[in-house]
Amino acid sequence: MCGIIGYIGNNNCILHLTNGLKRLEYRGYDSAGIAIINNKELKVYKEKGKLQNLINLLNEKRNEMSNSNIGIGHIRWATHGIPNEINAHPHTTNFAPIAIVHNGIIENYKELKEDLITKGAIFKSETDTEVIAHLIGYEYTQTKDLKTAVINATKQLKGAYALCIINENNPNEIIATKRFAPLIIGKGNNENIIGSDIPAIINITNKVIYLDDNETAIITKEDIKVYDSNNNIINKNIAILNIKEDNLNKDGYKHFMLKEINEQPNIIRNLINSNIVKERIKNLPTNINNIKIIACGTSLHAGIIAKYIIEDITSIPVETESASEYIYRKNTTNKNSLVIGISQSGETADTITALRQAKEKNATTIIITNREDSSICKYGDYILPINAGIEISVAATKSYTAQLITLYLLSIHLSELENKNDIKTKELKSHLNEIPNKMEQILNNTNIIENIAIKLSAYKDFIFISRGTNIGSSMEGALKLKEISYINATAYPAGELKHGPIALLDENIPLIAILIPNHITYDKLISNCQEAKARKAKLIAITSSNDETLTNLFDYIIQIPEISENVSPLITCIPLQLIAYYIANFLGKDVDQPRNLAKSVTVE
Ligand code: M6R
């Protein structure tokens, strides 16, 4: 969590730092700060709240920074210490005129702090990061060489970090290093830039060096030198990024979330037409007799749906589990397991740990991710990129459907590997081909959904129900609503309603039911809705049914195109995403940057 940036070049660094931080805002947005060296003097500026507050401060102080072509910056998602100016980064030390920015968490900061206090460190903040500043500062007093001080200091840290450090005594270099947190270095022309993620650097250069764990770089405006943990210089490849600037703009949409919802048909079309699963999953071991799907949040919901699909068309038992639970229990993963880790960002701490553990148990692993350059990929025997393009809205939408379609394609592949290319698998394939057009039918006519959403926006509690594959969709619909509108929403398999949640129902609770008529449980689900109606709940159907009797039962009906139940989650998610979006937008919420959240959850 948090985003960091560093810039060194011929130009004034302020604009580069703030532009980079703007592009990293999805990683955190509760405070921000920069440190620069201006006329040989280290200066630090920090503000609580959104990045704009910092930008306003920098505008006021413009005269103090006319000659600064080296700087580092940070956008924070608070872990240790509340979001305020003191806890905001950069952090400094009384040992040396240096400033650091940090993304990650230091687990042994308390022990280090005690020791550093005895050595004379004066602490100002409640953060774990300040320990790193003092530790590097102290090591610098011993070695007088910042790179060596950083290498020595980071050896004492337990936990995760990506760091950029500047030193008033040497205004010609930035030191960068990382372990278990992402950091890339962009190589420009007489300028270099460091960032937590590609969007932060892409407007300067598409040439990048990916720092690996325990590597430390000295970045000057002309050069980038990388050292291993023994202080030996090493050669690093320069990768060329193929990312268009357009992906990072709203393209006329009011919010990134709405733009990303509308991108889904094309992303799905491209994935269906690609051969990515077959190309990537070659020579899968034949001993696999159980599958575990491990993920968090929205990615977990995609995994919950995949269990239904894989078990339906293969003979392999599947368990789907939250990564944060999987890693702290004696699970049954073994050398015959196929463990599928799903993570949009590839940086989710729990999912990374789960996949590391799975590898330690000699399981075969597949990673489904939007970021092939992410930390989780090192634990994958096979990597399946979902190619959704950079997702900026904190609430995941396009990455969810891209994960889902990838899981469908993987299920089909597994069925074919089992020589089970039976009628069910063939039908599934042909149903998938219909998805992009059907998504477009909904997206081309969103007025009804928006009007219903506006009417629903006054309610404070929602219940989502469904059966079969759409239980995962209900969970995802409830999560989307909670995340961006802060309205309480819970999802249940409809059969569970009568076992307790029905006690909640009255005229103040809208119940959103997903009903797919060709499914075996359709009539049961209708009965559940009737039971809810008898308790005066407001009823909303998302359905492909044309049954006119539904109009008597439901207060609102959101009609979706006719669709087979097994692929319907790829369609039902669209009105669910739109309901959440339109409610949040109507209520004036910060749709793309909901409170308390950040895009990648790199802490446990
Ligand atoms: O990057 P990941 O897919 O691993 O992220 C997992 C969750 O943190 C993520 O899906 C989260 O629930 C989103 N805010 C959902 O909109």
Side-chain angles (χ1 to χ4, degrees):
M1 220 77 75
C2 306
I4 66 177
I5 181 122
Y7 174 87
I8 182 161
N10 288 326
N11 300 315
N12 189 298
C13 65
I14 307 298
L15 197 61
H16 294 300
L17 295 178
T18 50
N19 280 346
L21 290 178
K22 187 105 212 110
R23 296 276 179 83
L24 292 175
E25 246 188 322
Y26 69 90
R27 300 177 72 88
Y29 31 84
D30 59 37
S31 52
I34 63 163
I36 56 170
I37 301 173
N38 191 68
N39 293 333
K40 298 189 180 156
E41 190 190 347
L42 180 70
K43 286 174 175 279
V44 177
Y45 303 90
K46 314 199 258 191
E47 272 292 355
K48 181 185 161 192
K50 288 279 184 117
L51 176 64
Q52 191 55 45
N53 299 352
L54 176 72
I55 294 174
N56 296 344
L57 173 79
L58 298 177
N59 283 339
E60 277 167 32
K61 310 260 176 183
R62 210 175 310 142
N63 296 342
E64 295 175 15
M65 30 185 114
S66 53
N67 197 10
S68 39
N69 52 13
I70 172 170
I72 55 177
H74 188 269
I75 188 106
R76 183 166 185 245
W77 183 87
T79 57
H80 298 61
I82 58 164
N84 63 17
E85 196 198 318
I86 295 175
N87 291 331
H89 302 211
H91 286 282
T92 54
T93 167
N94 52 305
F95 287 127
I98 64 167
I100 75 159
V101 286
H102 167 221
N103 170 34
I105 281 201
I106 301 307
E107 287 156 11
N108 59 337
Y109 80 100
K110 282 194 184 133
E111 300 92 286
L112 291 170
K113 187 170 179 175
E114 279 166 22
D115 183 47
L116 284 160
I117 289 172
T118 65
K119 288 174 172 149
I122 301 166
F123 278 82
K124 295 184 211 147
S125 76
E126 301 157 84
T127 64
D128 53 338
T129 301
E130 195 181 348
V131 160
I132 313 176
H134 290 301
L135 196 57
I136 294 174
Y138 177 76
E139 290 295 334
Y140 182 69
T141 61
Q142 309 297 299
T143 61
K144 304 285 180 242
D145 172 60
L146 187 58
K147 184 234 319 157
T148 310
V150 169
I151 291 175
N152 291 349
T154 49
K155 280 184 180 159
Q156 300 169 56
L157 299 176
K158 288 195 183 129
Y161 56 80
L163 299 168
C164 284
I165 306 115
I166 53 173
N167 177 6
E168 188 181 85
N169 294 335
N170 187 350
N172 302 316
E173 65 179 35
I174 301 177
I175 307 287
T177 187
K178 65 153 265 177
R179 192 202 296 155
F180 306 146
L183 198 63
I184 52 175
I185 305 172
K187 183 157 180 37
N189 197 0
N190 257 325
E191 58 183 351
N192 289 316
I193 184 157
I194 308 127
S196 295
D197 197 359
I198 293 166
I201 64 159
I202 196 71
N203 59 337
I204 300 261
T205 179
N206 66 347
K207 295 185 190 137
V208 297
I209 292 175
Y210 289 94
L211 265 198
D212 286 315
D213 286 347
N214 304 313
E215 290 177 351
T216 302
I218 299 183
I219 299 120
T220 62
K221 72 178 179 192
E222 300 91 6
D223 200 16
I224 301 165
K225 285 198 169 68
V226 181
Y227 298 81
D228 66 15
S229 55
N230 295 322
N231 222 336
N232 298 317
I233 195 156
I234 47 178
N235 273 331
K236 296 287 288 182
N237 287 337
I238 296 184
I240 308 291
L241 299 173
N242 185 15
I243 290 196
K244 294 194 194 93
E245 222 13 54
D246 305 357
N247 294 346
L248 308 170
N249 299 326
K250 285 190 198 142
D251 255 355
Y253 287 96
K254 185 171 176 192
H255 295 103
F256 279 109
M257 181 175 177
L258 192 57
K259 177 189 172 209
E260 289 161 3
I261 289 173
N262 279 281
E263 284 171 358
Q264 294 178 103
N266 276 339
I267 294 168
I268 302 305
R269 205 169 267 129
N270 292 340
L271 283 165
I272 291 175
N273 293 336
S274 80
N275 246 341
I276 196 94
V277 174
K278 280 196 178 137
E279 279 163 14
R280 296 291 183 106
I281 314 272
K282 285 189 182 133
N283 308 322
L284 198 65
T286 48
N287 63 330
I288 287 163
N289 62 17
N290 69 91
I291 296 179
K292 320 260 181 227
I293 303 180
I294 313 294
C296 299
T298 289
S299 303
L300 178 63
H301 298 152
I304 286 169
I305 295 168
K307 171 186 163 70
Y308 279 78
I309 305 302
I310 299 175
E311 289 193 342
D312 195 38
I313 61 167
T314 76
S315 61
I316 317 171
V318 182
E319 259 181 77
T320 300
E321 190 170 4
S322 164
S324 54
E325 284 306 308
Y326 175 88
I327 58 181
Y328 286 111
R329 70 184 188 90
K330 186 180 158 215
N331 58 64
T332 55
T333 305
N334 58 34
K335 62 178 183 349
N336 299 322
S337 306
L338 172 64
V339 177
I340 304 173
I342 314 171
S343 176
Q344 185 285 130
S345 62
E347 300 297 343
T348 300
D350 292 319
T351 316
I352 294 175
T353 307
L355 268 289
R356 181 171 45 74
Q357 289 181 1
K359 279 262 45 103
E360 283 162 9
K361 292 182 170 178
N362 297 318
T364 302
T365 55
I366 296 179
I367 309 292
I368 297 181
T369 183
N370 204 20
R371 298 301 298 266
E372 276 196 272
D373 55 348
S374 62
S375 308
I376 199 168
C377 290
K378 64 172 167 275
Y379 301 114
D381 296 319
Y382 306 89
I383 312 292
L384 286 179
I386 60 170
N387 295 336
I390 288 184
E391 189 176 60
I392 300 206
S393 160
V394 166
T397 54
K398 63 176 181 174
S399 64
Y400 170 67
T401 42
Q403 289 167 343
L404 258 184
I405 190 78
T406 305
L407 286 158
Y408 275 98
L409 297 172
L410 176 61
S411 315
I412 291 170
H413 188 56
L414 293 173
S415 155
E416 288 171 351
L417 289 177
E418 267 195 335
N419 293 321
K420 280 203 156 205
N421 195 3
D422 56 9
I423 192 133
K424 245 188 195 173
T425 309
K426 284 187 183 136
E427 269 176 15
L428 182 64
K429 259 192 208 170
S430 86
H431 290 148
L432 286 179
N433 289 327
E434 301 164 8
I435 296 294
N437 289 350
K438 293 193 173 178
M439 281 180 161
E440 273 161 357
Q441 280 178 43
I442 303 176
L443 290 167
N444 290 339
N445 192 7
T446 55
N447 286 353
I448 298 176
I449 301 176
E450 183 169 6
N451 290 337
I452 295 174
I454 290 172
K455 290 190 182 119
L456 293 176
S457 60
Y459 290 89
K460 301 279 173 269
D461 294 287
F462 283 68
I463 289 182
F464 290 68
I465 57 166
S466 194
R467 301 285 297 251
T469 54
N470 279 300
I471 291 169
S473 312
S474 294
M475 295 167 91
E476 177 57 11
L479 178 68
K480 284 289 90 81
L481 185 60
K482 272 185 280 214
E483 281 189 294
I484 60 169
S485 67
Y486 322 141
I487 292 172
N488 182 37
T490 330
Y492 299 100
E496 280 296 309
L497 209 55
K498 57 186 173 294
H499 296 290
I502 200 166
L504 292 168
L505 294 184
D506 62 17
E507 65 279 14
N508 298 316
I509 300 219
L511 186 119
I512 300 187
I514 305 170
L515 302 119
I516 306 298
N518 52 23
H519 192 240
I520 186 171
T521 58
Y522 178 71
D523 292 334
K524 311 256 177 242
L525 193 41
I526 294 279
S527 303
N528 296 140
C529 292
Q530 266 151 351
E531 288 153 16
K533 185 82 179 171
R535 273 88 188 167
K536 298 199 180 120
K538 194 125 212 111
L539 284 191
I540 301 100
I542 295 178
T543 185
S544 52
S545 167
N546 293 316
D547 180 353
E548 283 178 6
T549 62
L550 293 189
T551 46
N552 296 328
L553 178 58
F554 287 93
D555 296 278
Y556 304 110
I557 295 181
I558 296 175
Q559 197 70 41
I560 56 169
E562 217 170 281
I563 189 83
S564 165
E565 197 272 345
N566 55 0
V567 296
S568 62
L570 282 157
I571 293 298
T572 55
C573 63
I574 305 285
L576 290 168
Q577 294 168 347
L578 289 169
I579 289 173
Y581 172 77
Y582 286 125
I583 290 181
N585 182 47
F586 183 74
L587 294 176
K589 304 293 182 202
D590 192 343
V591 172
D592 286 333
Q593 294 175 354
R595 71 182 182 200
N596 302 341
L597 296 180
K599 185 78 185 157
S600 48
V601 185
T602 55
V603 294
E604 264 196 37

